[in-house]
Amino acid sequence: MLNQLIKKAAVLGSGVMGSGIAAHLANIGIPTLLLDIVPRELTEDEKAKGLTLEDKQVRNRISSQSIQKLLKQKPAPLAVKQNLALIEAGNLEDDLIKLKDVDWVIEVVVENLNVKKQVFEKVEQYRKPGSIISSNTSGISVEAMAEGRSEDFKKHFLGTHFFNPPRYLKLLEVIPTQYTSQEVISFMKTFGEDVLGKGVVLAKDTPNFIANRIGTYGLLVTVQEMLKGGYSVGEVDSVTGPLIGRPSSATFRTLDVVGLDTFAHVAGNVYEQVSGKEKEVFEVPAFMRTMLEKGWLGSKSGQGFFLKKGKEILELDTKTLEYIPRKKLKTAATEMSKQEKGTANKLKALVYANDRAGELLWNIFSPVLVYSAQLLGEIADTIVDIDSAMKWGFGWEMGPFETWDAIGVDKSVQKMKNDGLEVPEWVTEMLAKGHTSFYLEENGETFFYKNGEYRLVESNPKAIDLKRLKKQKGVIKKNSGASLVDLGDGVALLEFQSPNNAIGLDIIQMINFAVDEVEKNYKGLVIGNQGKNFCVGANLAMMLMEAQDDNIYELEMVIRQFQNAMMKIKYSAKPVVAAPFAMTLGGGAEVCLPAAHIQASAETYMGLVEVGVGLLPGGGGNKELYIKHLEGLPNGVPFDLQAVANKVFETIATAKVSTSGAEARENNFLSIADGISINGDHLLYDAKQAVLALHEQGYVQKARRKVPVVGETGYATLLLGAHSMLLSGYISEHDMKIAKKVAYVIAGGKVPFGTEVDEQYLLDLEREAFLSLISEQKTQQRMQHMLVKGKPLRN
């Protein structure tokens, strides 16, 4: 229903942000008009072609070039290149008339109030009544932009602040004005979550809204503490990243990625609008202003807080502005915190430690926590919105108030007061009433503190929280590798929970138990989890150990069990739906391929990557990908069987990994009937709905069919390309040996072209090939290298 309401969009302004938003809309299937200003001068190339300023090609040049740049940007804004066709170039003089067909207009022009108001004056002349208008401003007053516009315009106008890059960053801040209708606010929140796939927070119309206000403050506090305490850039980054539940880019690497010019603009935006102590914090330090003058902006200028020289990364000495070897801060507290489990316990060990790391982190955390509490009511109505904004916009594992709970509110407030910090009255009142945390957990539900009482944290019903669900319903059965959970409505969920969700015997056992249990007592099964990745493959360390000990019999048994478990998924009497997301590699892909349906996240990186460690898929992956290709072909239409085998061979032999759910479909890991969830938080809900739909349709167990193969002649054809690569020196002798094994399995061995073979026959070929490769010393060297270095070895 929502997609029907916004059938077409327009983005005004085709810079990095505007074109990125257009790409995100195209990724979800919304045709988008991308408009920019008309050039005032011809380029040399245009002059050479005899073009004039009146030619459409020239007039649309800026937006046309921005659209083409989308193909080269990294990380890729487009899920697949074909989505480019959904973006139409135009300009702000000739094409505003097209706004009459548009349901949502997003303004992303220069951050200048007068320019924005002029754009909206023009938009109002052409927009259709009832269409939504929004600004992607990162800090200019939304209220001020609406001045002078009609009642219908104001009613449908609000801020929609995307974070860059729009495809990947989850946060969308929605900023209504006093005139925005409640219906439009509710619609944008639901549309933002369900269609755009975002985490939506409602923000107040204040400088830099929520995330940039607190995030910028936190970064500047960190810089000031570094200068005050005599820490180095590298030392600060070594303790302000994953150690405290923040992104690996930590503080200064983040500034290099964002760009110092962008950061200074955002900081200046607040600086101009606040006063007193707050204003002092938002003043960019002198050494950073010198960096700006020198053009040391970070990644885009080749140097910033860090400089890469050859393989070495140097850090900036903020006193001399020279680059020196990178330092790390190692103290008793940093070493002790590594022994703690979970970010909350690590933080507790760090912030109260009486050493250089503890002092730095306390002096960074305490003012940011106090500042967040001071801003409650001014920038957002609830602590939940503030915490969510920081997690979704800045990649913090815990928001400010969750962090405060983790380190102990009572203990930290006492220390803050001793330090002379002004803790907001509402926090001290909360403690006086005997409430010692901002959040409470009861019966699997989460409550947050507001105005003297705890209120339920409301969430989108499509956002299933597995931790909460397990607290409410318990677990049907679990072992060290996996749990079987009741999802409700007669659907069970198999959750992997081994390190990296790597597949071992424990997971195989739970797959067998889960399918049996579901066949007896449930409508169907979802295989999914909420870890960092869906599954990075089989337990490589375990396999290497067995191979090095020459336990080929043991390995043969494990591979056979894995293959049998995959066949059990495929031929289950009840529908099995796989819900992959993020890294879905090797064995992870093999778990998905035989499922009755795959419901993938939009950000699914799926591939059979075993060749990278000198192996080939051993759990039925070769066979299933080949069958998936065959099943994707239209019935009754002649097709080239060799072309199918070639495509599958190329995908597996080059360890091709999709860069999105849409590309996984292009590579035939997903079929046309499989689903893609734009919002990763809704993935398990969507997978559950897929199970229920299959059940309602009267799901019938798959029938076993024989598979046509290309046989001996096809095997020779498959190896033609590999031979030429070997002769050219592109691949090694061992690469060739692996390619031969992959080709032999896909071709179906020594049988005539077109022979129809049983699936078990193909599984036997696959298992034999896998075992012969894992016995090779060079393969074992590749496996070891991957485990130790985390990257492939070419030997």
Side-chain angles (χ1 to χ4, degrees), residues 588-601:
E590 287 183 296
V591 167
C592 298
L593 289 168
H597 180 88
I598 300 174
Q599 184 68 36
S601 165

Side-chain angles (χ1 to χ4, degrees), residues 597-732:
H597 180 88
I598 300 174
Q599 184 68 36
S601 165
E603 297 306 324
T604 299
Y605 314 115
M606 188 182 275
L608 294 165
V609 296
E610 288 83 352
V611 165
V613 287
L615 294 167
L616 85 175
N622 306 278
K623 164 184 75 76
E624 287 301 336
L625 187 61
Y626 181 63
I627 290 171
K628 198 106 175 166
H629 276 69
L630 291 175
E631 287 177 345
L633 299 168
N635 287 331
V637 177
F639 64 90
D640 184 346
L641 191 63
Q642 185 66 54
V644 174
N646 292 352
K647 178 80 173 132
V648 176
F649 173 71
E650 182 200 332
T651 301
I652 295 171
T654 59
K656 190 179 282 185
V657 176
S658 71
T659 59
S660 64
E663 194 171 271
R665 183 175 276 153
E666 272 190 356
N667 294 341
N668 277 88
F669 288 112
L670 307 185
S671 68
I672 291 298
D674 290 327
I676 295 175
S677 297
I678 299 298
N679 191 327
D681 290 347
H682 300 178
L683 179 61
L684 294 182
Y685 173 88
D686 294 342
K688 176 183 168 182
Q689 298 313 305
V691 168
L692 293 171
L694 289 166
H695 172 77
E696 292 302 318
Q697 291 159 16
Y699 182 75
V700 178
Q701 183 177 359
K702 283 182 185 176
R704 291 178 185 253
R705 291 194 177 94
K706 291 203 167 184
V707 184
V709 293
V710 294
E712 279 191 283
T713 56
Y715 169 70
T717 305
L718 289 177
L719 285 180
L720 280 173
H723 270 298
S724 64
M725 287 176 80
L726 177 69
L727 293 170
S728 310
Y730 284 111
I731 63 172
S732 68

Side-chain angles (χ1 to χ4, degrees), residues 568-583:
K568 200 170 178 99
I569 288 172
K570 184 170 186 174
Y571 293 109
S572 164
K574 300 284 177 73
V576 177
V577 172
F581 62 93
M583 295 295 181

Side-chain angles (χ1 to χ4, degrees), residues 360-472:
L360 173 67
L361 290 172
W362 171 259
N363 290 338
I364 290 170
F365 274 111
S366 54
V368 173
L369 301 183
V370 168
Y371 186 63
S372 302
Q374 287 168 343
L375 290 176
L376 181 66
E378 182 187 331
I379 62 171
D381 282 330
T382 71
I383 62 171
V384 179
D385 279 333
I386 291 175
D387 279 349
S388 298
M390 298 318 298
K391 289 189 286 186
W392 297 338
F394 275 73
W396 292 11
E397 195 178 312
M398 295 189 292
F401 296 97
E402 292 168 325
T403 299
W404 212 335
D405 276 354
I407 65 171
V409 183
D410 218 343
K411 184 179 178 181
S412 60
V413 164
Q414 200 54 54
K415 189 166 162 54
M416 287 167 182
K417 285 181 175 176
N418 292 342
D419 291 350
L421 284 172
E422 290 178 33
V423 178
E425 202 175 311
W426 73 267
V427 177
T428 51
E429 278 177 6
M430 181 184 90
L431 291 170
K433 286 179 180 174
H435 303 309
T436 56
S437 66
F438 296 104
Y439 292 95
L440 279 182
E441 293 277 341
E442 277 180 16
N443 305 319
E445 298 280 16
T446 305
F447 298 83
F448 70 98
Y449 186 80
K450 185 178 181 184
N451 296 339
E453 61 180 8
Y454 286 94
R455 303 183 188 189
L456 181 68
V457 173
E458 292 178 10
S459 58
N460 191 311
K462 294 180 182 177
I464 293 171
D465 184 328
L466 274 185
K467 282 183 187 168
R468 190 190 307 165
L469 188 75
K470 287 190 282 190
K471 281 179 188 170
Q472 289 169 337

Side-chain angles (χ1 to χ4, degrees), residues 111 136-142 145 161 205-209 212 265 269 273:
E111 285 287 88
N136 184 67
T137 180
S138 57
I140 290 177
S141 170
V142 182
M145 290 182 216
H161 182 215
D205 188 15
T206 56
N208 286 9
F209 313 126
N212 276 342
H265 171 77
N269 193 39
Q273 298 180 63

Side-chain angles (χ1 to χ4, degrees), residues 65-83:
Q65 285 179 345
S66 295
I67 292 170
Q68 289 309 308
K69 280 179 190 170
L70 291 171
L71 295 169
K72 294 173 186 170
Q73 281 173 32
K74 288 187 179 178
L78 296 163
V80 283
K81 288 176 183 176
Q82 291 90 306
N83 290 346

